[in-house]
Amino acid sequence: MKIFSGTANPKLSEEVATLLNLPISKSEIVRFGNSEVRVRIEEDVKDEVCYVIQPTSNPTDAHLMELFFFADALKRSDAKKIIAVIPYFGYARQNIQHRVGECVSANVVIHFLENIGFHEIITFDLHDEATEGIFTVPFSNLTSFSVLANSIVDYLGKESINTKDIMVVSPDQGGVERARRFGAHLFGTDDFPITVIEKNRDQNAIHQSTAVAIYGDVKNKIVILLDDILTSGGTMFNAADLCIKKGAKRVIGAIVHHDFAPDAVKNIEKSVLEKLFTTNTIELKKEQMNSKIVESSIADLIASLLR
Ligand code: R5P
């Protein structure tokens, strides 16, 4: 087995390789002055099973192209099987036509990945499970909820975790099932209430949404707002403000993927969120670290699967 790393999250790739007692296999990734990229495999991969770890996070298109070129270079080097480990799957939110005339980007990306030669795809907490149906190669959608839940348990203290004081809240209608699955990891039971916020997104504007109503009781509760992705933060901040307005005692955010827009970190710091728990599906840059963001690693989950 060989593990290759793109440039999107080399730290995560290193962690996985260390856990597997393997080196990161040698490749050369050159970015030219005109922004084109070239990938070269620098070791013998003939008849090997090769994994390429690369979240397709911001800058999404650049990271995607690198991944495609890895597949081509490995195929030309006679690798037996080429498997993409895409901890964060960019464009997953564009999986339907939200408005007439739009492209369905997730569909396009999946076709590219398959046609370029990936034999298998592994990802984490894909935005919409229905997208799995588009894949025609073996596909695994792992979940990081155990890691996120453990990190919150450590922060709040095991004795504080109970279904009376803590309310898991989905910041939009689409996240109900996700909130339920996360709650089961957090509480260790399926028997708990959840609260749902009704979100209205303006499809004609970028990053504009409002939290219009809340269904459930958050008064005097410790709220855990659970979402898959935070980009602008609008969804999370509006939901957090509404929970505070409805009497929540504390509001903690939990997301899998921090695919941040430029102002997100500054706005997290200013928000009513006490903490924002997240994972390292995407690399957290030095300048993005702040006192509220707590990152936990999914390396062990990837290593276990590869093992
Ligand atoms: C939407 O359905 C997703 O689950 C997230 O709620 C959303 O994409 C987050 O984006 P933003 O942080 O820009 O509101």
Side-chain angles (χ1 to χ4, degrees):
M1 179 206 294
K2 301 257 183 192
I3 298 180
F4 289 88
S5 177
T7 59
N9 196 346
K11 221 172 124 214
L12 173 63
S13 308
E14 282 291 348
E15 266 185 66
V16 173
T18 306
L19 287 166
L20 292 170
N21 255 324
L22 287 172
I24 294 284
S25 294
K26 289 198 182 63
S27 63
E28 179 197 61
I29 303 164
V30 176
R31 181 75 52 188
F32 296 97
N34 62 353
S35 88
E36 286 184 8
V37 66
R38 184 183 66 203
V39 172
R40 178 168 181 253
I41 303 303
E42 295 190 316
E43 51 184 85
D44 183 14
V45 293
K46 193 168 161 40
D47 297 328
E48 296 275 1
V49 176
C50 298
Y51 291 86
V52 185
I53 303 180
Q54 172 89 325
T56 50
S57 52
N58 184 5
T60 314
D61 300 342
H63 289 152
L64 264 175
M65 288 311 284
E66 248 183 50
L67 187 58
F68 296 150
F69 294 155
F70 258 106
D72 185 68
L74 286 166
K75 200 163 63 180
R76 289 172 192 279
S77 307
D78 285 334
K80 181 166 89 184
K81 207 168 171 198
I82 312 167
I83 302 170
V85 181
I86 312 175
Y88 169 66
F89 200 97
Y91 285 117
R93 284 173 284 186
Q94 294 178 36
N95 64 334
I96 54 166
Q97 272 195 318
H98 295 283
R99 294 172 309 166
V100 174
E102 281 183 1
C103 57
V104 181
S105 320
N107 198 32
V108 174
V109 171
I110 292 167
H111 285 314
F112 274 16
L113 288 168
E114 293 187 350
N115 289 322
I116 204 74
F118 281 108
H119 298 101
E120 192 176 330
I121 315 282
I122 298 165
T123 192
F124 273 85
D125 297 299
L126 190 65
H127 174 64
D128 181 354
E129 284 184 344
T131 308
E132 290 184 28
I134 305 177
F135 289 93
T136 59
V137 296
F139 170 78
S140 309
N141 185 24
L142 307 182
T143 182
S144 64
F145 286 172
S146 57
V147 163
L148 266 182
N150 287 343
S151 170
I152 292 175
V153 172
D154 286 348
Y155 174 69
L156 290 174
K158 213 170 177 179
E159 59 298 337
S160 318
I161 306 296
N162 64 73
T163 56
K164 208 165 69 45
D165 298 321
I166 296 178
M167 178 66 81
V168 176
V169 177
S170 170
D172 57 30
Q173 310 81 304
V176 173
E177 177 58 26
R178 188 184 298 130
R180 280 235 154 266
R181 280 189 286 109
F182 173 76
H185 280 277
L186 183 74
F187 298 124
T189 169
D190 289 334
D191 186 16
F192 55 88
I194 59 162
T195 288
V196 182
I197 288 173
E198 186 184 342
K199 176 171 87 174
N200 187 15
R201 185 174 282 291
D202 181 351
Q203 297 292 355
N204 294 309
I206 297 175
H207 300 317
Q208 294 302 318
S209 64
T210 11
V212 283
I214 184 162
Y215 303 96
D217 184 12
V218 294
K219 199 164 178 355
N220 293 325
K221 307 268 183 188
I222 301 175
V223 160
I224 299 178
L225 268 169
L226 188 273
D227 208 349
D228 58 338
I229 312 166
L230 189 148
T231 299
S232 67
T235 302
M236 185 63 84
F237 305 146
N238 293 337
D241 289 343
L242 187 56
C243 289
I244 292 286
K245 201 167 135 204
K246 295 292 177 185
K249 203 159 61 175
R250 298 161 70 181
V251 183
I252 292 166
I255 51 159
V256 179
H257 312 289
H258 50 79
D259 198 32
F260 290 152
D263 283 341
V265 173
K266 188 180 75 198
N267 292 333
I268 289 164
E269 194 73 59
K270 285 198 298 198
S271 74
V272 298
L273 292 175
E274 175 180 316
K275 290 276 175 201
L276 179 71
F277 288 85
T278 185
T279 75
N280 62 346
T281 56
I282 296 170
E283 183 180 43
L284 191 64
K285 308 236 163 52
K286 240 197 183 135
E287 63 278 12
Q288 293 178 325
M289 293 176 187
N290 73 26
S291 59
K292 290 196 179 179
I293 300 176
V294 183
E295 195 191 47
S296 310
S297 181
I298 54 151
D300 210 17
L301 298 173
I302 300 178
S304 303
L305 184 80
L306 268 55
R307 218 175 262 133

